[in-house]
Amino acid sequence: MISTLQKAIRPVWAVRGLHKAAVEILKEPAPEDTVTASFGKFISDIKPQHLSSVVLHRSKRMVLDSIGVGLIGSTTEVFELALQHCQHMYAPDNISSVYGRWGTRLSPTLAAFVNGVATHSMDFDDTWHPATHPSGAVLPAVLALSDMMPANSKPTGLDFLLAFNVGIEIQGRLMRFSNEARNIPKRFHPPTVVGTMGSAAACARLLSLNPYQCSHALAIAASLSGAPMANAATQSKPLHIGNASRLGLEAALLASRGLEASPLVLDAVAGVAGFNAFYEDYVPKPLQSPNDNGHLFLLEEQDMGFKRFPAHLGMHWVADAAASVHELLVGAGPGTVSPAQVQDILLRVPKSKYINRPFPESEHEARHSFQFNACSALLDGEVTVQSFTPASMNRPDLLALLSRVRVEHPHDNPANFNRMYGEVQVTTVGGDVLTGRCNTFYGHWRNPLTNESLIKKFRNNAGVVLPSEKVESLIDVVEELDRVVDCRALLSQLQ
């Protein structure tokens, strides 16, 4: 018979044994054939020579555009609120630069946060397919980390671009594990999911972490990911990008210190949710490390989408369609469009609840309103930065047009940035029916902005806060970034 004392002691032995086994399992490197380990190995093994001329060209365009939208974003109220919060709640730490605030520095993680907020504060940043905003989650973190590195060991421009491209690549690879991710989101805002992972990957690459540490950086980032779509069209949405950038950087720094997490976070493990918690149809595959033939980056296969005006990407289809109707009305009328000419406006757009806003009450709602952007383009012939000011939003003519809008969701128009279209049908008071349709707007990855258009956008954005000579210097530095031996050439322009 077992004594009461033995019964009491046995669970202690059992617990100690289990604890020891658990520690041993945690310390054992993940098997080479796991998805998580393959991603860590890729991040650690990829080298600058694996970047093709196409990838370098496209990623430098992304860097330039992202800096530009971050600089104009530094003039917004939400950026000012985020900056004040960081300055008042945390001790001074003069390491990393802040967009548009000369002489202001924060800790690397806080700089990554506020610069990420600036980048998305006007919804002016780039967009990819499957749907996410890739640059805003990565570039602020890579800039902040570069600022943090000692003067005698700053990354070269090519190393900087490699880290940036690793962050973009990891986001694209993760989103391709899910068909759900290919559509306009309903549950999680994608940058808060894959953006955090991309930031962690980019920073792990810049820190030259080993494969094991890179895998753990991703696993740590997974625990810092996710934000609901309910906060779209509010001042909190820009925080999503800021947090993705900041928390990805923190994940990489924690991994560099030896902090560990699940070695199977990217794998589909029955009964235990890892990264598949964010996507119901998640089917992961290992990521092959580069071989003698190099590596084909997703950015080489598919270009990036750049916005011509600061609003949700879906707005660009209806704006272009409405602008074509504007031309028809102006051609047949007095030279301007008047609500007196318009009896009815019908929009044929994808079904997506958070961008179907008949009467937006704030600039953030207006940036996520099919109706507002269609009516603005119908009235003015275009949508611009100024379209979202209170004066423009409250014009009687615009409000009159908004009251005449109807919306249809055709079955052949899915909520997918690679397959959707925008159609605007206007019935005049005289009974004429005028229709404009946009299948691929100018700036979409199938119809990318020319270098001239992209640089014009940058000059307009950066020129809001920078003198013209500094704007031109930034353009030159980014163009030469893959050839500079020290990325301080870029960092100094932002200080």
Side-chain angles (χ1 to χ4, degrees):
M1 178 174 281
I2 301 174
S3 70
T4 303
L5 180 60
Q6 287 175 310
K7 287 181 180 178
I9 293 174
R10 180 172 292 173
V12 176
W13 292 341
V15 169
R16 285 176 177 168
L18 286 173
H19 177 69
K20 181 179 180 182
V23 171
E24 290 174 351
I25 290 171
L26 284 173
K27 288 185 177 179
E28 185 180 47
E32 286 298 318
D33 59 352
T34 67
V35 173
T36 308
S38 75
F39 272 67
K41 189 173 188 303
F42 170 84
I43 295 167
S44 182
D45 288 354
I46 196 78
K47 298 292 186 291
Q49 58 263 32
H50 297 128
L51 297 171
S52 70
S53 59
V54 171
V55 170
L56 285 171
H57 171 69
R58 290 177 173 177
S59 59
K60 286 190 293 185
R61 281 162 53 91
M62 294 164 66
V63 169
L64 186 70
D65 184 71
S66 188
I67 291 173
V69 299
L71 287 169
I72 192 173
S74 71
T75 67
T76 61
E77 181 184 11
V78 62
F79 171 81
E80 186 62 36
L81 291 173
L83 179 59
Q84 288 180 10
H85 169 75
C86 291
Q87 290 176 318
H88 294 165
M89 294 300 296
Y90 299 91
D93 197 350
N94 299 323
I95 295 176
S96 299
S97 300
V98 173
Y99 283 154
R101 294 292 190 276
W102 318 127
T104 299
R105 288 176 176 268
L106 299 172
S107 71
T109 55
L110 293 182
F113 171 68
V114 297
N115 289 340
V117 170
T119 302
H120 199 56
S121 62
M122 299 171 68
D123 223 304
F124 213 174
D125 44 334
D126 57 24
T127 305
W128 213 14
H129 177 76
T132 195
H133 304 286
S135 295
V138 173
L139 184 61
V142 175
L143 286 169
L145 182 56
S146 298
D147 268 332
M148 171 183 156
M149 291 180 166
N152 61 356
S153 58
K154 295 289 186 189
T156 67
L158 198 54
D159 287 333
F160 182 97
L161 285 170
L162 177 65
F164 176 78
N165 275 287
V166 166
I168 304 304
E169 180 77 355
I170 294 304
Q171 293 180 71
R173 294 289 172 178
L174 290 173
M175 298 201 80
R176 279 162 175 76
F177 293 161
S178 164
N179 287 324
E180 175 190 347
R182 297 177 184 274
N183 299 325
I184 297 176
K186 297 179 181 178
R187 299 192 304 137
F188 294 100
H189 191 207
T192 71
V193 178
V194 296
T196 313
M197 307 292 279
S199 172
C203 295
R205 176 58 265 170
L206 201 61
L207 290 166
S208 299
L209 301 190
N210 64 41
Y212 185 61
Q213 292 170 312
C214 290
S215 296
H216 284 292
L218 293 177
I220 296 165
S223 281
L224 305 174
S225 299
M229 286 303 302
N231 273 328
T234 73
Q235 284 189 321
S236 286
K237 187 173 180 241
L239 303 185
H240 294 179
I241 301 287
N243 277 329
S245 188
R246 169 189 183 174
L247 297 175
L249 172 56
E250 290 197 354
L253 291 173
L254 287 167
S256 75
R257 292 184 178 275
L259 189 72
E260 297 176 333
S262 169
L264 298 172
V265 72
L266 298 182
D267 295 77
V269 180
V272 181
F275 195 73
N276 59 343
F278 298 111
Y279 299 106
E280 294 177 340
D281 60 350
Y282 179 79
V283 181
K285 297 178 181 178
L287 178 55
Q288 296 300 315
S289 286
N291 53 35
D292 293 339
N293 297 321
H295 173 77
L296 182 63
F297 281 82
L298 294 174
L299 186 59
E300 184 149 7
E301 296 180 329
Q302 179 182 289
D303 206 346
M304 191 59 54
F306 296 105
K307 300 176 180 180
R308 304 193 320 275
F309 59 88
H312 181 277
L313 195 74
M315 306 304 107
H316 289 66
W317 278 272
V318 292
D320 279 11
S324 65
V325 177
H326 169 92
E327 291 183 8
L328 295 174
L329 286 169
V330 167
T336 59
V337 173
S338 167
Q341 297 172 264
V342 178
Q343 178 176 309
D344 178 75
I345 303 169
L346 175 62
L347 308 184
R348 295 189 176 97
V349 294
K351 187 175 183 179
S352 183
K353 186 175 179 63
Y354 83 99
I355 47 180
N356 182 0
R357 299 176 183 272
F359 299 99
E361 296 181 357
S362 69
E363 64 165 292
H364 298 282
E365 290 188 359
R367 298 183 199 279
H368 296 75
S369 167
F370 279 130
Q371 294 88 336
F372 176 87
N373 286 274
C375 289
S376 293
L378 185 63
L379 188 64
D380 303 324
E382 62 179 347
V383 181
T384 69
V385 171
Q386 298 304 314
S387 299
F388 302 94
T389 62
S392 293
M393 288 181 59
N394 293 314
R395 288 177 293 171
D397 283 358
L398 180 63
L399 298 175
L401 289 178
L402 282 171
S403 68
R404 295 166 201 181
V405 176
R406 295 181 294 119
V407 175
E408 289 183 356
H409 305 297
H411 294 301
D412 67 343
N413 196 0
N416 181 303
F417 290 146
N418 216 33
R419 298 165 54 202
M420 67 173 282
Y421 63 85
E423 191 169 288
V424 177
Q425 178 181 295
V426 173
T427 303
T428 68
V429 292
D432 294 329
V433 177
L434 308 175
T435 302
R437 175 166 168 147
C438 175
N439 293 319
T440 304
F441 67 86
Y442 180 46
H444 191 275
W445 42 89
R446 290 194 301 267
N447 186 21
L449 295 183
T450 64
N451 282 341
E452 291 75 16
S453 294
L454 191 79
I455 289 173
K456 180 180 178 181
K457 175 187 174 182
F458 177 79
R459 285 183 175 129
N460 290 338
N461 288 341
V464 173
V465 295
L466 290 181
S468 59
E469 61 271 16
K470 198 129 190 171
V471 172
E472 298 307 312
S473 293
L474 266 169
I475 294 171
D476 293 339
V477 167
V478 173
E479 177 57 33
E480 296 294 320
L481 192 54
D482 54 319
R483 293 180 283 275
V484 301
V485 296
D486 188 329
C487 72
R488 277 181 293 185
L490 174 61
L491 301 176
S492 64
Q493 297 296 324
L494 298 173
Q495 292 167 3

